[in-house]
Amino acid sequence: MTVSPSTSPAPSPTEPDPDTDTDTDAPAPEPAAPPGLLHRAGRWCARRPWWVIAAWLLVMVATVAANHAWGGTYEDDFSLPDSSVQTGADLMDTHSSDAVRGVSSQIVLEAESGALADHRGALDKTAANLADLPDVLSVADPLRTPGALSKDGAIGYFTIWFEENPVTFDHSYVDEVDAAVADLRADDVTVEYGGSLGQLARPEAAEHLSEFIGLATAVIVLLIGFGSVAAALVPILTAVVSLLAGISLLGLLAAMFTFGAAPPSLAIMMGLGVGLDYALFLATRFRGLLQKGSDQDDPAEVVGRTVATSGRAVLVAAATVAMALAGLYASGVTFIGTLGAAAGITVVVAALASLTLTPAVLGLAGRRVDRWAVRTPVAEPTGDNDVWHRWASTVRRRPRTFLTAGALLLGVLSIPLGSIRLGHVDAGANPADYTDRRAYDLIAEGFGPGANGQFTVVVNLGDADPASVSADLTETLAGTDGVAEATPPAPTVDDALLISTVIPEEGPEEESTFTLLHELQDEVLPEALDGSGAEGYVTGKTAAQLTFRDVMVDRLPLIIAVVVGAAFLLLLTVFRSVLIAVKAALLNLLSIAAAYGVVVAVFQWQWGSSWFGVTGSVPVESYVPMMMFAIVFGLSMDYEVFLLSRVREAWLETGDNHRSVATGLAATARVITCAAIIMTSVFLASLLSTNVLIKMLALGLGVSVIIDATVVRLLLVPASMYLFGRANWWMPRWLDRLLPHVDPEGRP
């Protein structure tokens, strides 16, 4: 990007005139300037293609090898500093014995006939086998652990404490666990794995299948859209190299920082999608400039002009996406911030590759970029009679109709958003052939639905009398509405704490369980401990997830304000138009609301959820709206920048608003449509994931791209720009002088 002195290139009309084709007060074209930094950089890469390609291949191989040798693991960390949940967990960690440190999982058992006590020999042998497994700290036997056996004795569970989260283990560890429980299975006892161990034991999806689907779709779309094998390979090569480098870099960072289980999948989706988009945008502009130029033009010089023009739009688009993702840190929750950082890493690497590797490959191909044509190669429209110019003319004739129709469609899709229910998607949403789902169902059958969402009450005694506090707490918990059962408070080994397990009447996804958490923390514990000097906290996995939901709901408005505000300022600076910046923000908010509505309809209302391997109604994961907002807003701005940069370029050259909109739409519609199809295939292919959260994100992101590339870009944007006429480019003079001038797309 270049920053120029503060000179206003756009007129400042007072009234829009949608019926006027030519704006007489439009700016005169700026005089030709010496090649800028981007022009020179693109030309340099094009003239030294083998050096640039070799450098990128070296970076890719080095990062992949380093990640294989020293890369870290991915594990969810929902810690919430200064919360009741975290305080209670820290107290338990400080005052518990070594035997109960680490990460716990359950192995759930059901006697096919009779009671588990009839299989004591197999249980004892299995307990010994499990204790001998690597990374196991301790094993609690169901027959010797209070509360671990159902009332009829048929269902029970081992509680196993691991040194590390089993999710991070190699899948072969499940084979060792299978061998350890083989005696029980041979003795007619059903054995299922719950918790983190159950997640590890889920069927392995075909590795990288979704990425292969995305790439295969990209090849087909590029061949159909542009007709040339050589041209199709340019964005594919750039995207693959940048993705491998970016995801390997993320793995290296995971060895130093904590990243959750979802970031790698999210980073792959984002990195592959934008890598294809950015390289495709540059390759299309290069071919268009070649088509418009003469046979004597130096291809390297054409590459320089390509990077000096469309490369600036790529920079603005990538900066917008990265800014939206970085805005997640405004949540104040590290887990959410690292989700955005993971996706941002692959986006930045993809942008760097597009601005260096793509010019090198284009320079190497030169005029041979259209070789191996499968049909007549097409770059950009050259006349006014192509399909996109005709579409622009159709919208121009009835802009109010198209604007109203598009807005109504998005409004209808947004209706389910009104019934959104945030929560945590647990094992109960998994297919019945998953062992953790079967373990979940057995626990609910044997101990009640609330046993899958139990709370841990921790009382820090201080100088209080343990006996008195225990008696008061037992009585109060037993009389609390919504509590199915509460174990007698048990002291820790150092008598500093009392710990009780509270089982709600309903499951962890029910609203009544969420209400019970607040009642326990805000009313029940203060009342039971009043005057004793002791302090009580509610902790445990379910309490952490529900508290996390509270935080996400509270912080979402802040995230929206930060991301929308930053994007507004960026677009205002780049396009020198108040109306364009406001319109872009509003239309993107409307398209995001529509995408939210589709997610609610599928996962909560169960409209087609079985097609995606999800059984039953599930809440929307608490941080999915926040993640979707940042990602969708950023990607929507990608297409907004691509379209408006070409509209603005035509406006600066002609001063004709109507012609500028038609020219910009025709020049970018093909590439935006192809890019959207590719991006959608990348996202929707991730529906093959075994993780319901990834399915949720994949569907939401895929639908949002479809909405944005069709309803927003082809209907709402051109219709609104036709209606507003010259007002599209209005900018107060005082604000124009205040803001730096950043040209998103210079002229070739």
Side-chain angles (χ1 to χ4, degrees), residues 506-527:
E506 302 292 339
E509 294 180 357
E510 300 299 327
E511 192 64 27
S512 60
T513 303
F514 175 73
T515 301
L516 176 61
L517 169 65
H518 282 281
E519 290 181 355
L520 289 173
Q521 186 61 63
D522 300 335
E523 301 174 17
V524 175
L525 291 182
E527 178 184 338

Side-chain angles (χ1 to χ4, degrees), residues 539-584:
T539 189
K541 182 179 178 180
T542 302
Q545 291 162 348
L546 295 178
T547 302
F548 192 81
R549 184 187 88 161
D550 273 352
V551 173
M552 294 301 98
V553 171
D554 291 341
R555 305 286 171 83
L556 183 58
L558 175 62
I559 294 294
I560 292 175
V562 168
V563 173
V564 172
F568 172 82
L569 290 176
L570 180 63
L571 291 179
L572 184 66
T573 301
V574 170
F575 294 109
R576 322 305 295 176
S577 166
V578 174
L579 188 59
I580 282 179
V582 171
K583 173 179 61 64

Side-chain angles (χ1 to χ4, degrees), residues 59 163 165 182 257 285 319 345 438 659-660 664 703 710 741:
V59 168
E163 291 182 0
N165 193 325
F257 307 98
R285 191 61 182 270
I345 288 168
R438 295 194 296 267
R659 185 170 184 81
S660 299
V703 168
T710 55
H741 280 251

Side-chain angles (χ1 to χ4, degrees), residues 68 148 239 262 325 431 457 650 677:
H68 183 73
L325 293 170
V457 172
I677 293 173

Side-chain angles (χ1 to χ4, degrees), residues 284-297 302 305 309-310 367 370 379-383 389 646 649-650 653 663-664 666-668 745 747-748:
T284 302
R285 191 61 182 270
F286 171 73
R287 296 169 70 231
L289 291 175
L290 279 181
Q291 179 179 311
K292 294 176 182 177
S294 67
D295 292 340
Q296 284 71 42
D297 286 345
V302 177
R305 295 202 300 269
T309 54
S310 295
R367 297 187 179 280
D370 285 328
E380 293 183 353
T382 56
H389 271 97
R646 298 302 296 272
E649 180 184 340
E653 291 176 351
T663 300
T668 59
E745 180 145 337
R747 283 170 299 283

Side-chain angles (χ1 to χ4, degrees), residues 392-406:
S393 297
T394 301
V395 175
R396 177 185 171 182
R397 287 194 294 270
R398 298 180 179 83
R400 291 180 177 82
T401 300
F402 284 104
L403 185 63
T404 302

Side-chain angles (χ1 to χ4, degrees), residues 35-37 55 79 210 249 306 336 409-410 412 481 501 529 655 683 738:
L37 176 61
S79 60
S210 60
L249 177 60
T306 297
I336 294 298
L409 176 58
L410 296 187
V412 170
D481 291 338
T501 298
L529 304 177
F683 287 147
L738 182 64

